[in-house]
Amino acid sequence: MSRPKILIARAISPEVVTVLEQHFDVRSNQDDIAWSPAELAERLQGMDGVLTTGSQRIDAALLAACPQLQICANMAVGYNNFDVAAMTAAGVQGTNAPDVLTETTADFGFALLMATARRITESEHFLRAGQWKDWRYDLFAGAEVHGSTLGILGMGRIGQAIARRGAHGFGMQVVYHNRSRLSAELEADCKARYVSKQELLSTADHLVLVVPYTPEAHHTVGAAEIASMKPSATLINIARGGIVDDVALAKALASKRIAAAGLDVFEGEPAVHPDLLALSNVVLTPHIASSTMGTRRAMAQLAADNLIAYLGGKAPVTPVNRLEHSRRSAA
């Protein structure tokens, strides 16, 4: 009996490729070529599964063109590249990779907060350009982190991990807003207080966005929300591009409506709005919040575990949809 065939859509840790080769007939993309949708569909012909990285769009058109495809395993916690309704209707299983990146992403979110508050990127550019000539009492004077108010929009696993870092490590007052309030036990663990979105915006010294992207969440933070923030506040986005209206944010930063921003994600990435690139009071990083070798390996391994389980006739480890019928059972 022939083994299932899978496609690895982008380069991943070689160790995980080796694991997958023990179970499947593998076609990998270790050259890390970013395929167009048509090229991806072509390479998925005859494939039972695909390991995706978040940049491959899985929609109704692709599923119709790939009738053998049974599972799409994302090596990311977010899965806005999946049309989940279309996948469910087609009987295709989707999975993601939660938990394994929580602490690493929270580390980076807090690092981005500190770099933004303390003007690290701006001051480094100043130094490298040879502009540092003498000491001044207000030379790149930034915002306090310890003892300040940390606001978190989106209090899932990563939001909670950031809250714990702020409350326990830096003595910050933590406020949060979420679709649903946390349990009293979790609030106590995070030392966090639930507030309305409006109170969150108006009281946070540092606002961190950790909400998943959905069409309804598009521009959750736009011109009106930014106008509600303190002029001294910073805004940190480690969620997804599109959560923030980048044009409105660039205007607010240019006019000093808020003090600074730290962004790891962007609308239309890898393209970045040129108005953001022209500003000195924004720290920009290329979507690397989960990027440590250990975490990226763990993310790929969890995606592999989902493929191995599902194509082996078992339930997936971390499903994102529940199937009433599946292509697997129909095959």
Side-chain angles (χ1 to χ4, degrees):
M1 186 174 180
S2 61
R3 299 197 298 175
K5 296 178 180 179
I6 68 161
L7 177 71
I8 303 173
R10 292 293 296 270
I12 63 171
S13 303
E15 304 95 320
V16 180
V17 177
T18 299
V19 170
L20 287 166
E21 288 173 340
Q22 296 169 12
H23 297 267
F24 306 116
D25 181 356
V26 176
R27 302 290 184 271
S28 64
N29 181 15
Q30 290 302 92
D31 290 334
D32 208 32
I33 298 167
W35 296 320
S36 69
E39 290 170 331
L40 176 62
E42 180 182 353
R43 284 164 174 79
L44 280 172
Q45 295 307 303
M47 295 292 154
D48 300 292
V50 59
L51 192 155
T52 54
T53 61
S55 57
Q56 295 79 42
R57 178 68 178 163
I58 307 297
D59 56 18
L62 182 137
L63 295 169
C66 306
Q68 190 170 325
L69 189 63
Q70 301 175 44
I71 177 172
C72 303
N74 232 26
M75 61 166 284
V77 64
Y79 48 91
N80 52 295
N81 57 314
F82 287 176
D83 183 335
V84 176
M87 292 172 66
T88 302
V92 174
Q93 182 67 61
T95 67
N96 68 336
D99 297 322
V100 292
L101 51 69
T102 297
E103 298 301 331
T104 294
T105 303
D107 284 347
F108 188 88
F110 213 87
L112 191 57
L113 183 160
M114 294 187 70
T116 301
R118 297 303 304 272
R119 303 174 66 180
I120 288 175
T121 299
E122 188 181 358
S123 61
E124 182 186 6
H125 289 170
F126 175 85
L127 183 151
R128 288 180 180 275
Q131 295 177 283
W132 186 27
K133 304 301 181 183
D134 57 11
W135 180 91
R136 280 184 53 88
Y137 80 95
D138 59 351
L139 183 65
F140 292 104
E144 300 287 3
V145 176
H146 71 277
S148 63
T149 298
L150 170 62
I152 301 174
L153 184 59
M155 202 62 158
R157 299 176 184 90
I158 296 170
Q160 291 169 37
I162 291 170
R164 289 193 297 270
R165 282 158 174 76
H168 297 284
F170 290 80
M172 300 175 82
Q173 306 300 311
V174 180
V175 294
Y176 77 97
H177 183 73
N178 201 43
R179 284 179 298 179
S180 56
R181 185 169 179 173
L182 299 181
S183 68
E185 292 77 14
L186 280 176
E187 285 189 345
D189 180 52
C190 298
K191 294 187 176 181
R193 180 170 62 89
Y194 180 81
V195 297
S196 68
K197 183 180 176 183
Q198 185 57 43
E199 184 175 350
L200 180 80
L201 293 168
S202 63
T203 60
D205 295 309
H206 307 288
L207 176 63
V208 182
L209 309 180
V210 210
V211 292
Y213 183 83
T214 63
E216 296 74 26
H218 187 69
H219 289 183
T220 292
V221 176
E225 288 75 19
I226 295 168
S228 296
M229 297 173 64
K230 296 178 180 179
S232 57
T234 70
L235 172 67
I236 310 299
N237 188 9
I238 58 168
R240 280 290 186 269
I243 296 294
V244 175
D245 181 340
D246 286 354
V247 174
L249 177 60
K251 289 179 180 178
L253 291 167
S255 66
K256 303 297 175 68
R257 178 59 196 79
I258 61 172
L263 308 174
D264 187 50
V265 290
F266 308 88
E267 291 190 79
E269 60 183 54
V272 178
H273 197 284
D275 289 352
L276 290 171
L277 294 172
L279 295 167
S280 61
N281 58 337
V282 56
V283 181
L284 308 171
T285 56
H287 203 148
I288 57 171
S290 65
S291 188
T292 66
M293 294 306 296
T295 295
R296 288 287 168 86
R297 188 181 305 113
M299 292 162 66
Q301 184 60 58
L302 182 49
D305 291 343
N306 277 301
L307 287 164
I308 293 165
Y310 192 74
L311 293 175
K314 300 178 181 178
V317 183
T318 51
V320 301
N321 58 341
R322 186 183 300 275
L323 301 180
E324 293 185 6
H325 72 280
S326 71
R327 289 181 175 180
R328 181 182 63 180
S329 59

